[in-house]
Amino acid sequence: MEFDAIVVGAGLAGLVATAEIADAGKKVLLLDQEPEASMGGQAWWSFGGLFLVDSPEQRRMGIRYSKELAWQDWLGAAGFDRDDEDYWGKKWAEAYVDFAAGEKRAWLTGMGVRFFPVVGWAERGGGLALGHGNSVPRFHIVWGTGPGIVEPFERRVREHMRNGLVEFRPRHRVDQLITRNGAVFGVSGSILAPSSAARGEESSREVTGSFDYHATAVLVASGGIGGNHDLIRQNWPSRLGQPPKRMLSGVPAHVDGRMLGITEEAGGRIVNRDRMWHYTEGIKNWAPIWNKHGIRILPGPSSLWLDARGQRLPPPNFPGFDTLATLEAIQKTGYDYSWFILTRKIIEKEFALSGSEQNPDLTGKSIRKVIGRALKSIPDPVKAFMDKGEDFIIADHLADLVSGMNEHTGDHLLNLSDVERQIKARDREIDNKFTKDHQITAIRGARHYLGDRLIRVAQPHKILDPKNGPLIAVRLNILSRKTLGGLQTDLSGRVLNSAGDPVPGLYAAGEVCGFGGGGVHGYRALEGTFVGGCLFTGRVAGRSIAAES
């Protein structure tokens, strides 16, 4: 064989696996259809949030946590209910929670990864202890965000490139897995024309040649379908209503899902095709890098959330609580957008934007700029969207705000008196320390957590009080992102066939295998588990290949 292993995809999972295989002295061929500038894949663009259990950061913030609580939350979110398709996903989930409660943090810090001291609280849940959501804050932001988590693995891979154990060939698109007697022993495909496209930009698909490489093992780490809206709509589950007619893309175009079909043709089994994770708080990027480029708002809990017709979304559909339930509620209105209404006081404290490029202070590891963020009224990236983004409307008076909202969509669905009635009713609930409004209760409860009180959740106040203004409305779009199903794998990362047996020589890691087993998250994710799933599956599969080859 020319190589001990071939890794298809130079995203985070592929880099982790490549590093692990080469660390064992094995020779690896790393292929990717994109230019070298895109090494690191989607993880580079991420906020770099990681799921950890009982970390020093949590203990310093006064968070009492245990592996048992983590597993309770995981099961409540996942809702595993398919004995066959969920069998390996559930096993991977249990292994991942053990990893997050065990050596994950020490493994990463040993490579130089550091964490922001304030732990975030994502996906706060649907209202019951055994249901969906994080019972405690557990979203650990990597110091350096996505690039900070990619860097140590890219560094290890490049060291092996220099010592001859890794050959990296960008612009090599795999079109087929080569099989013989049911076993995979290589790949063939097309050499694409050199491209100067920057990271994330769409690159040429001009073919200039072909290739054929052989290896003892082939690892597929090619990502999901988030950039392929046709494939998303094809697999869209009816339980979430009709698929959006209009969607923004949270990932570049090369996240196209091609390798899923190619691997299936070679005998791999795809499970849980209808499970996916898309965000409801997408805004159109005023400086797009890829087509339909959207950015997700990471909201605190205080904004009033209205559907396209101006009706307040019911519990648990509050900002930052239950992504999938909110997606379902929005899609079942018959419209694929919704609205936040908020105040300047709320946006000052509660709006953050997901992604490495939208957080230059954390990405650049600048303590001075992080402190400046806390002291400034509105973060600079958020202010840029307010000034230049098409989805923001700002007004001193509610009548002008609603008029601007109607003009923005052209649908003219919003009735001023109805919107005003709902906001005034909400504002009356602020008069007392007790309330029947679940969102007000949630805001007050969140402020019991020091991290939220300091930098994340505004003091409860009346939206229509002029001293809290101006008023702000944000049109929220559906934003494509993650594939929760995929290639079914066992706990060694081996791809299974329809009979449940490993396909000899074939492995998978990362999003292409549903972050483990064909669906480690079940129906819902707790956040901080996508990047972490790439780390864990890449490590496991890489070590398995190293031991076998």
Side-chain angles (χ1 to χ4, degrees):
M1 293 290 182
E2 299 172 71
F3 301 93
D4 294 301
I6 297 171
V7 175
V8 181
L12 182 59
L15 291 178
V16 174
T18 298
E20 294 288 340
I21 300 167
D23 281 352
K26 309 293 184 179
K27 189 168 184 181
V28 186
L29 174 64
L30 176 61
L31 303 175
D32 200 284
Q33 66 180 348
E34 293 307 299
E36 186 170 353
S38 286
M39 182 181 278
Q42 295 179 65
W44 191 93
W45 296 101
S46 76
F47 201 18
L50 292 176
F51 177 103
L52 295 173
V53 178
D54 194 29
S55 68
E57 291 79 16
Q58 287 170 317
R59 292 194 292 272
R60 282 194 292 268
M61 298 299 293
I63 299 166
R64 296 179 182 178
Y65 198 16
S66 66
K67 187 172 72 173
E68 291 72 24
L69 182 58
W71 185 234
Q72 172 184 301
D73 282 356
W74 196 289
L75 289 176
F80 295 120
D81 61 2
R82 299 171 179 173
D83 292 341
D84 179 32
E85 292 188 79
D86 283 339
Y87 179 81
W88 286 106
K90 188 174 180 180
K91 285 186 174 294
W92 272 96
E94 191 167 11
Y96 180 70
V97 171
D98 285 343
F99 179 58
E103 61 181 313
K104 179 180 180 181
R105 188 182 185 281
W107 177 60
L108 291 171
T109 57
M111 288 182 280
V113 175
R114 297 294 180 265
F115 297 95
F116 187 62
V118 179
V119 183
W121 197 352
E123 285 296 295
R124 299 176 189 229
L128 296 175
L130 288 175
H132 170 61
N134 291 292
S135 296
V136 298
R138 54 169 74 102
F139 190 82
H140 295 69
I141 300 169
V142 170
W143 188 233
T145 65
I149 197 65
V150 169
E151 189 278 330
F153 299 100
E154 181 177 344
R155 183 179 68 243
R156 287 169 60 190
V157 168
R158 291 195 180 279
E159 287 173 0
H160 288 305
M161 289 167 62
R162 288 190 290 271
N163 66 30
L165 284 176
V166 172
E167 289 188 26
F168 176 42
R169 297 181 186 175
R171 304 300 284 158
H172 280 57
R173 184 185 68 196
V174 172
D175 298 324
Q176 183 179 21
L177 299 180
I178 304 172
T179 62
R180 183 169 55 211
N181 298 325
V184 173
F185 69 98
V187 299
S188 63
S190 304
I191 300 173
L192 304 179
S195 172
S196 60
R199 183 185 294 275
E201 292 180 350
E202 193 163 357
S203 59
S204 163
R205 290 295 177 261
E206 178 188 353
V207 174
T208 61
S210 62
F211 63 84
D212 190 318
Y213 300 119
H214 300 142
T216 304
V218 174
L219 171 72
V220 178
S222 55
I225 66 173
N228 187 335
H229 290 189
D230 290 338
L231 203 51
I232 289 172
R233 293 186 179 100
Q234 178 181 321
N235 291 295
W236 189 270
S238 60
R239 65 180 178 274
L240 296 181
Q242 292 296 312
K245 295 178 181 177
R246 178 181 179 272
M247 240 185 314
L248 298 179
S249 282
V251 295
H254 65 254
V255 187
D256 53 21
R258 288 183 70 255
M259 284 304 301
L260 281 163
I262 291 169
T263 309
E264 188 176 30
E265 289 177 5
R269 183 191 185 197
I270 300 175
V271 295
N272 300 311
R273 297 174 191 264
D274 63 329
R275 291 182 183 168
M276 51 189 72
W277 189 257
H278 306 303
Y279 292 111
T280 52
E281 313 98 331
I283 51 177
K284 190 173 181 181
N285 195 342
W286 61 270
I289 296 169
W290 54 81
N291 187 36
K292 300 179 181 178
H293 188 176
I295 298 293
R296 185 201 175 196
I297 295 171
L298 297 172
S302 301
S303 297
L304 196 70
W305 205 334
L306 306 178
D307 67 20
R309 299 164 299 186
Q311 301 305 304
R312 191 174 175 189
L313 297 182
N317 305 315
F318 307 138
F321 275 70
D322 192 334
T323 293
L324 209 64
T326 309
L327 177 59
E328 179 181 354
I330 291 169
Q331 287 308 115
K332 288 186 176 179
T333 67
Y335 297 89
D336 49 23
Y337 67 92
S338 59
W339 292 98
F340 277 169
I341 290 182
L342 58 148
T343 65
R344 181 182 180 89
K345 281 189 176 180
I346 292 173
I347 206 168
E348 286 176 348
K349 194 142 188 176
E350 297 196 5
F351 264 40
L353 301 174
S354 183
S356 56
E357 82 281 20
Q358 299 298 330
N359 294 275
D361 48 355
L362 293 166
T363 302
K365 301 181 181 180
S366 171
I367 295 174
R368 179 181 60 83
K369 289 182 179 179
V370 169
I371 294 172
R373 178 202 288 230
L375 296 176
K376 283 183 179 179
S377 59
I378 299 175
D380 288 342
V382 175
K383 187 64 167 60
F385 270 89
M386 291 177 66
D387 293 341
K388 304 174 185 178
E390 66 180 58
D391 291 315
F392 282 75
I393 298 158
I394 303 168
D396 290 323
H397 304 288
L398 185 61
D400 295 332
L401 189 78
V402 172
S403 176
M405 294 162 72
N406 278 325
E407 289 177 10
H408 178 69
T409 64
D411 294 332
H412 297 279
L413 298 173
L414 303 174
N415 179 277
L416 172 60
S417 62
D418 195 28
V419 172
E420 185 176 37
R421 177 182 59 82
Q422 294 177 85
I423 299 177
K424 283 184 174 180
R426 178 263 184 209
D427 282 357
R428 291 188 193 103
E429 299 290 312
I430 299 293
D431 289 334
N432 296 292
K433 293 182 179 180
F434 41 86
T435 176
K436 71 176 182 181
D437 191 296
H438 287 193
Q439 185 174 8
I440 303 300
T441 298
I443 294 166
R444 289 171 174 159
R447 287 178 59 83
H448 287 297
Y449 170 49
L450 178 62
D452 277 351
R453 188 166 68 252
L454 289 175
I455 63 171
R456 196 70 178 113
V457 181
Q459 178 77 30
H461 59 271
K462 295 187 175 184
I463 290 175
L464 293 181
D465 188 334
K467 72 174 182 290
N468 299 320
L471 295 168
I472 302 165
V474 187
R475 172 177 163 150
L476 306 173
N477 308 275
I478 306 303
L479 180 70
S480 71
R481 190 62 67 88
K482 298 297 180 187
T483 311
L484 298 189
L487 297 168
Q488 194 169 43
T489 56
D490 66 13
L491 286 178
S492 296
R494 298 181 298 179
V495 176
L496 306 179
N497 62 22
S498 58
D501 301 319
V503 178
L506 183 59
Y507 295 76
E511 190 175 354
V512 76
C513 63
F515 304 95
V520 71
H521 298 98
Y523 287 95
R524 291 177 172 87
L526 291 171
E527 292 286 14
T529 54
F530 299 127
V531 170
C534 291
L535 294 172
F536 186 50
T537 55
R539 185 175 110 135
V540 169
R543 293 183 178 187
S544 297
I545 291 170
E548 292 291 330
S549 61

